[in-house]
Amino acid sequence: MQRCLSCMRLLLRSNEWNKPEKYVIINAMHKIAEEIEKTRLSHIAETEASHKKNFGQYLTPYPIAKYMVTLFPKTTEALNILDPGAGIGTLSCAFLERIISEKWNNPNIKITAYDLDPSIIEFLNKNLSIGKSYLENYGYTVFNTDFLERTSFEYSFNINEKFSHVIMNPPYKKIPTKSSAREYTRTFGLETVNLYSAFVGAAIAQLKQGGYLSAIIPRSFCNGAYYKPFREFILKNCSIKHIHLFESRNTAFKEEAVLQENIIILLQKGTKQESIDISYSDNINFSDISQKKFDFESIIKPEDKNMYFNIPTPNQKTFYLDNLLFPFQETGISVSTGTIVDFRVKDFIRQTPEYNTIPLLYPIHFRNFKTQWPKQSKKPNSIVCEEKIENMFFPVGYYVVVKRFSTKEEKKRLVASLISPEDIRTDAFAFENHLNVFHDNKQGLSKNLAYGLVVWLNTSFLDSQFRLFSGHTQVNATDLRNLPYPSKIQLHKMGEKLQTYNTWQQEIFDNIALEYLNDNYTAANF
């Protein structure tokens, strides 16, 4: 690496270089990138999983870092760069590589990097010092301290720096309500539940007007009630310029076996929101990248009070059903999480049905869109009818359930199943907490409505709509309320039709839904 830097020092003194000189620079930069990538892979292999989990640490592959910095518009102004959760400095080094290779000629370049893990500070300092070897107007500072703690203190006294650029892969770790991290984050005007959103919020607060932030973060913030304040914070302070979506769930951090879906997002502080560029790739070399432009209103619906981010996938089909569907509230029904948390009522649950018990339904009790109970498994099948917990039960009737967690192997995120009193003789049902339950004010649904919901919730269209804002396998009741639904009359008609079939499959659900939504709508579009 040192020899590579010596070559660059000689060449970078001039403002121009010819083609052979440019190739020397590019080759030298490639070798530096290779060294950084080797360090990353070694750290992953040699570091205990518990250590990485403690710091919420997932180091950025160099190809991803290199792509992230290409999203910044070129500028000749002074650069004051923040890299919070810097790791070994991959992101900052990728930014330096671009500045060097494109000869930005900025009057001053400064990087401020934070990382709490003492085991990588030596690597961070070493990698950031590379810039001093070939940029006379470059400096850097490394803080081995808590980013939120230090900057919240500075921010509260208005003595914090203002940065022109933020490049970041923040730590991923849940933060408890009463934790110091929550308190620090509130200083910036944000209430949030994870370190990654806390770091992004703190970084946005310290960006100057017109400054840019490029981050790789989990897609989980795009939906759900817990991340609504974070979505509001982003939209209040920034415009969204670009979103990059990885088509494969395990692409970005494959060496870490991370199955959380991640996106790259580019924000600009204090500027008017315009259309958003959305790009896609199936690998971290971005060799197959494609890009489309979308209106902001198609990503975040103006009428959506929850501000879900609806990010189209590259193969997303276009459906023209908007005028045929309605908000969930207009159906007049309810959906909620199952009320039984088994470890809290362990004294009342039973492995098999007994006298004075009712069915306790888990996700394992549903297969092929119907109920299979009782079932031999490690999970219990029944719960005692005890006065202390009777308020958690649902009276016998028709219900529809959607599993809160779909397995990685399942092709669809939304899988709905019917519960019929004709299949199980009982006075009531109990639903375990890993189920979402559709009901009518904690009473059963009408038979036709229940069957109609099974049709609609299992359609390809609705699964596609769900994937617009959800990047993980979890399905929350709030998410189900945020989806569009046919009218109650249409659901009843769909339910009547479904009852004419003995076996159910995907094609049947899609065709029934299309038939009753719009007679002129072609099934080929579904």
Side-chain angles (χ1 to χ4, degrees):
M1 183 184 290
Q2 199 59 41
R3 191 167 65 180
C4 298
L5 295 176
S6 299
C7 295
M8 284 190 287
R9 282 194 211 101
L10 296 173
L11 294 172
L12 289 166
R13 289 175 183 171
S14 62
N15 290 325
E16 301 289 338
W17 55 56
N18 57 36
K19 281 188 177 180
E21 291 171 337
K22 185 174 182 179
Y23 291 145
V24 171
I25 291 291
I26 291 173
N27 287 334
M29 301 299 284
H30 282 174
K31 289 180 180 179
I32 292 171
E34 288 174 2
E35 290 290 332
I36 292 172
E37 188 65 0
K38 284 180 182 177
T39 302
R40 181 183 77 90
L41 294 173
S42 295
H43 180 77
I44 291 172
E46 297 168 7
T47 306
E48 292 288 338
S50 58
H51 178 91
K52 289 182 284 186
K53 183 179 180 180
N54 183 48
F55 288 100
Q57 184 184 87
Y58 301 94
L59 301 182
T60 315
Y62 200 88
I64 289 180
K66 196 168 181 179
Y67 174 76
M68 288 172 64
V69 301
T70 65
L71 300 178
F72 293 131
K74 186 174 181 179
T75 180
T76 56
E77 296 181 2
L79 300 177
N80 193 12
I81 303 162
L82 174 64
D83 187 351
I88 59 174
T90 306
L91 290 165
S92 288
C93 287
F95 203 170
L96 288 173
E97 178 185 345
R98 185 182 174 200
I99 293 167
I100 291 299
S101 61
E102 295 181 8
K103 295 195 73 74
W104 281 25
N105 293 323
N106 308 92
N108 189 52
I109 302 166
K110 179 186 176 184
I111 293 175
T112 302
Y114 284 83
D115 205 281
L116 194 56
D117 183 359
S119 72
I120 57 175
I121 292 300
E122 179 183 351
F123 298 111
L124 179 57
N125 270 299
K126 178 184 175 183
N127 291 330
L128 294 187
S129 68
I130 292 170
K132 284 192 170 184
S133 300
Y134 52 85
L135 286 174
E136 295 179 357
N137 56 346
Y138 167 74
Y140 74 93
T141 304
V142 170
F143 291 106
N144 180 207
T145 189
D146 189 317
F147 168 67
L148 294 175
E149 180 180 9
R150 180 185 175 89
T151 57
S152 63
F153 173 81
E154 293 175 343
Y155 187 82
S156 63
F157 287 97
N158 200 27
I159 57 173
N160 61 290
E161 284 194 68
K162 288 290 185 180
F163 297 95
S164 63
H165 294 76
V166 177
I167 183 83
M168 64 190 306
N169 171 14
Y172 179 83
K173 187 178 181 181
K174 292 181 180 179
I175 46 179
T177 304
K178 295 182 180 180
S179 65
S180 56
R182 279 282 187 102
E183 287 296 326
Y184 301 145
T185 309
R186 291 183 186 118
T187 304
F188 302 104
L190 174 63
E191 186 70 46
T192 194
V193 296
N194 201 293
L195 277 180
Y196 84 80
S197 48
F199 269 52
V200 172
I204 288 172
Q206 296 172 81
L207 264 179
K208 71 176 187 179
Q209 292 297 305
Y212 288 92
L213 180 148
S214 180
I216 180 167
I217 53 178
R219 194 180 170 184
S220 56
F221 80 92
C222 294
N223 65 300
Y226 289 135
Y227 285 103
K228 183 181 178 181
F230 180 54
R231 294 192 294 274
E232 290 176 326
F233 189 87
I234 289 176
L235 297 174
K236 177 182 177 182
N237 291 285
C238 300
S239 62
I240 304 169
K241 311 300 288 186
H242 192 116
I243 296 173
H244 181 83
L245 193 64
F246 295 99
E247 294 180 43
S248 176
R249 180 181 295 276
N250 61 354
T251 295
F253 301 98
K254 61 181 181 181
E255 295 88 2
E256 308 264 18
V258 173
L259 293 177
Q260 171 74 260
E261 193 168 339
N262 291 276
I263 64 170
I264 295 170
I265 189 167
L266 179 70
L267 306 173
Q268 187 178 21
K269 187 169 181 178
T271 54
K272 182 181 177 181
Q273 181 65 60
E274 297 174 340
S275 59
I276 302 173
D277 291 321
I278 299 184
S279 56
Y280 313 92
S281 70
D282 198 32
N283 59 69
I284 65 170
N285 294 319
F286 302 90
S287 58
D288 61 340
I289 194 167
S290 60
Q291 184 168 311
K292 299 178 182 178
K293 192 176 288 290
F294 292 86
D295 292 336
F296 173 74
E297 291 76 15
S298 67
I299 307 300
I300 295 149
K301 311 293 184 184
E303 69 277 9
D304 182 11
K305 295 180 181 180
N306 291 311
M307 302 178 183
Y308 278 25
F309 283 41
N310 299 273
I311 307 174
T313 58
N315 300 316
Q316 189 77 37
K317 293 181 181 179
T318 302
F319 301 100
Y320 302 98
L321 299 174
D322 289 350
N323 295 329
L324 307 172
L325 301 175
F326 306 92
F328 175 72
Q329 291 74 14
E330 294 190 21
T331 65
I333 58 179
S334 304
V335 61
S336 53
T337 305
T339 53
I340 302 296
V341 180
D342 53 12
F343 71 86
R344 292 178 181 166
V345 292
K346 60 184 180 181
D347 293 339
F348 303 107
I349 60 178
R350 300 291 183 266
Q351 195 66 30
T352 58
E354 299 176 5
Y355 173 73
N356 197 36
T357 65
I358 62 170
L360 171 57
L361 299 174
Y362 284 80
I364 61 162
H365 290 118
F366 301 96
R367 185 176 176 83
N368 297 326
F369 316 108
K370 295 182 180 180
T371 312
Q372 294 184 354
W373 182 93
K375 200 166 186 177
Q376 288 187 345
S377 74
K378 293 180 180 179
K379 295 293 184 183
N381 281 284
S382 300
I383 188 166
V384 175
C385 291
E386 170 63 44
E387 186 177 355
K388 293 179 182 179
I389 56 173
E390 279 184 351
N391 63 336
M392 298 181 181
F393 301 162
F394 288 72
V396 67
Y398 290 93
Y399 297 92
V400 176
V401 297
V402 174
K403 290 185 288 186
R404 286 184 58 204
F405 297 91
S406 59
T407 64
K408 304 179 187 75
E409 294 77 21
E410 287 179 307
K411 293 181 179 179
K412 295 178 73 229
R413 305 278 178 86
L414 297 180
V415 179
S417 299
L418 177 73
I419 298 170
S420 168
E422 298 167 12
D423 297 331
I424 306 175
R425 298 189 65 179
T426 182
D427 295 325
F429 296 110
F431 299 104
E432 194 267 339
N433 190 248
H434 287 80
L435 292 169
N436 294 301
V437 187
F438 284 84
H439 54 94
D440 185 355
N441 194 25
K442 215 175 177 185
Q443 302 289 318
L445 304 164
S446 70
K447 183 175 182 178
N448 288 341
L449 181 57
Y451 275 81
L453 278 171
V454 170
V455 171
W456 181 244
L457 290 166
N458 283 307
T459 57
S460 301
F461 165 75
L462 205 65
D463 192 70
S464 177
Q465 288 294 109
F466 180 78
R467 289 171 185 269
L468 290 177
F469 59 74
S470 178
H472 47 80
T473 57
Q474 186 169 342
V475 181
N476 296 313
T478 304
D479 299 334
L480 294 170
R481 295 187 200 105
N482 210 59
L483 290 167
Y485 290 79
S487 69
K488 208 167 185 177
I489 294 174
Q490 289 170 320
L491 286 170
H492 273 273
K493 290 181 178 179
M494 292 178 192
E496 288 178 3
K497 184 73 172 182
L498 183 62
Q499 292 171 60
T500 65
Y501 293 89
N502 293 322
T503 58
W504 302 342
Q505 56 190 23
Q506 190 62 57
E507 186 178 4
I508 290 172
F509 297 135
D510 290 346
N511 288 340
I512 291 175
L514 285 170
E515 179 182 349
Y516 289 100
L517 280 173
N518 187 348
D519 292 336
N520 299 319
Y521 198 84
T522 58
N525 284 323
F526 227 78

